[in-house]
Amino acid sequence: MDKQILILRGDGIGPEIMDQAIRVLHTIGETFGHSFHLTDGLIGGAAIDEAGTPLPEETIEKAKSSDAVLLGAVGGPKWDQNPSNLRPERGLLGIRKALDLYANLRPVKGFKTLTDASPLKREVIEGSDLLIVRELTGGLYFGRPSERRDNGNVVVDTLHYTKNEMTRIIKKAFESAELRSKKLTSVDKANVLESSKMWREIVETESKNYPDVTVEHVLVDACAMKLITSPKDFDTIVTENMFGDILSDEASVLTGSLGMLPSASLAENGVGLYEPAHGSAPDIAGQNIANPIAMILSAAMMLRHSFNLDAEATAIERAVEQAVNNGYHTKDLQVEGGTCLSTTDMTDQIIKQITKE
Ligand code: IPM
Ligand code: MN
């Protein structure tokens, strides 16, 4: 198989973890006989520095003519004081919108040997395995342009959704739940927000089309609590953009580190984008200590969702699991014993497992 992949390294640890995902992809290409053609593009702070904008038009064009996009991370203190249209994050939000990447899938699955890396009790998290389906192109992130009024004494951010935007992500979540254990938790704030009331109505209507999926509604505050007191009660969670952002960081605690969480951002028809759920971690950038696993697992999600290469994706996932179970980890994981490795050495261990299979 011949595929074109747009590589957006971005900022902070983005470039160094991307290099590791590329090494893994080359190994997969060699092992399974595929050619992955990589093209570089600019996004985030790197794009601001080189092209004066966080999302050059050229990047969007390259993305649209690729088979998939891999993205590292964006942001850093260097651009923190920039006006909002010149912030690296704008690049990320812009490409999500430009490619209509409405469905963000964030699987959260812990590894056995890392159970003690989580501050949560072993019996609480052991065996937890869930999928957060986050709406990615609407809500507070994409309301009317935010404004400061009345000499800066009033600020307005708007939460905007159309019925179609809600319906398509809810359908996607039902479809995802059907492929898993057929339990869907819809998370909202229907006791307060009108948007959540509409969301709940749509979930109820759509549930009739998926009779084998059990649906429950949970308010976001209660969900935040239950996620860490009884994570095993969840399987597939669907929620709007901002709630999904917050809950996915929280859920990463189950795995021991945000550095373990991959994600896929999918469009209805069109190119998909794959990126770790974590940020650019500027404090540890360039030191070869970042955890490459979320990025590598994001590449695996790309193989599965965009290229239909299930065996290849599984090979990466198994290799990661094997390497971790052999006691190898990176510095972000607070585990006793085992061997703490650099970014590149951790990747060596993963590649070793792939070539062994
Ligand atoms: C994420 C990130 C982004 C988001 C930021 C960097 C804009 O936190 O992908 O979860 O809020 O969506
Ligand atoms: Mn986030």
Side-chain angles (χ1 to χ4, degrees):
M1 187 177 269
D2 247 43
K3 292 289 178 191
Q4 293 285 343
I5 305 169
L6 176 63
I7 301 292
L8 302 176
R9 288 185 164 76
D11 313 315
I13 59 169
E16 58 200 283
I17 56 171
M18 181 63 81
D19 287 343
Q20 308 316 307
I22 291 172
R23 291 177 59 207
V24 170
L25 279 175
H26 282 146
T27 307
I28 289 290
E30 280 161 24
T31 314
F32 290 84
H34 304 300
S35 300
F36 301 119
H37 307 280
L38 313 180
T39 313
D40 283 306
L42 288 170
I43 196 163
I48 295 173
D49 290 351
E50 275 200 42
T53 163
L55 184 61
E57 197 52 45
E58 198 191 344
T59 298
I60 299 174
E61 277 159 26
K62 282 181 178 173
K64 285 184 176 163
S65 59
S66 303
D67 295 308
V69 182
L70 263 187
L71 190 148
V74 298
K78 184 174 175 195
W79 308 279
D80 269 356
Q81 303 310 320
N82 282 13
S84 51
N85 61 332
L86 282 179
R87 287 193 56 119
E89 291 78 6
R90 270 300 166 96
L92 185 55
L93 301 187
I95 198 165
R96 287 174 179 171
K97 197 73 179 175
L99 302 178
D100 200 19
L101 303 169
Y102 75 101
N104 185 223
L105 310 183
R106 297 188 160 181
V108 183
K109 192 177 169 189
F111 295 102
K112 261 205 176 74
T113 37
L114 293 179
T115 314
D116 293 324
S118 172
L120 302 173
K121 289 198 188 99
R122 172 175 275 272
E123 59 270 28
V124 170
I125 57 172
E126 215 162 35
S128 60
D129 178 355
L130 51 98
L131 173 71
I132 298 179
V133 180
R134 171 190 175 192
E135 201 292 325
L136 203 61
T137 48
L140 275 169
Y141 281 66
F142 295 97
R144 265 183 248 131
S146 305
E147 22 164 351
R148 301 243 184 143
R149 287 191 204 141
D150 300 343
N151 300 322
N153 288 312
V154 176
V155 64
V156 186
D157 285 308
T158 49
L159 198 166
H160 183 285
Y161 267 114
T162 66
K163 200 170 173 183
N164 279 344
E165 285 172 331
M166 289 187 180
T167 306
R168 63 180 181 172
I169 188 71
I170 287 165
K171 281 188 163 158
K172 184 81 188 175
F174 272 106
E175 286 161 14
S176 304
E178 273 188 327
L179 298 174
R180 294 173 54 95
S181 71
K182 300 184 171 31
K183 180 180 178 193
L184 180 63
T185 304
S186 170
V187 177
D188 63 34
K189 188 72 185 173
N191 53 345
V192 177
L193 299 175
E194 195 56 37
S195 55
S196 286
K197 283 184 208 155
M198 185 159 132
W199 176 278
R200 213 175 256 222
E201 287 160 19
I202 298 171
V203 171
E204 282 302 306
T205 308
E206 282 305 322
S207 72
K208 298 190 180 77
N209 300 324
Y210 304 89
D212 49 340
V213 177
T214 313
V215 185
E216 62 170 0
H217 301 279
V218 179
L219 295 171
V220 63
D221 47 356
C223 179
M225 188 258 296
K226 287 182 186 163
L227 251 184
I228 49 171
T229 52
S230 46
K232 278 176 262 185
D233 289 351
F234 296 100
D235 184 69
T236 307
I237 293 176
V238 63
T239 192
E240 64 88 48
N241 201 347
M242 176 70 98
F243 294 160
D245 178 45
I246 299 168
L247 293 178
S248 55
D249 267 37
E250 188 193 3
S252 77
V253 176
L254 304 170
T255 69
S257 168
L258 193 49
M260 304 296 291
L261 246 61
S263 91
S265 303
L266 308 175
E268 272 171 287
N269 295 303
V271 61
L273 180 148
Y274 302 82
E275 58 167 323
H278 62 70
S280 62
D283 53 324
I284 58 162
Q287 297 174 41
N288 197 23
I289 57 171
N291 187 345
I293 290 180
M295 185 76 243
I296 290 170
L297 291 176
S298 299
M301 289 187 89
M302 172 184 76
L303 297 179
R304 176 172 294 120
H305 291 275
S306 282
F307 307 159
N308 238 330
L309 295 176
D310 209 64
E312 289 81 344
T314 306
I316 297 179
E317 288 159 356
R318 283 221 192 101
V320 168
E321 190 165 357
Q322 261 310 321
V324 169
N325 286 345
N326 286 346
Y328 298 113
H329 57 88
T330 42
K331 211 179 162 191
D332 51 310
L333 287 155
Q334 308 290 322
V335 278
E336 271 173 44
T339 316
C340 182
L341 297 179
S342 67
T343 309
T344 43
D345 288 349
M346 185 73 214
T347 310
D348 287 347
Q349 289 301 328
I350 294 167
I351 288 174
K352 198 166 136 191
Q353 293 302 325
I354 296 174
T355 49
K356 225 164 127 183
E357 278 178 13

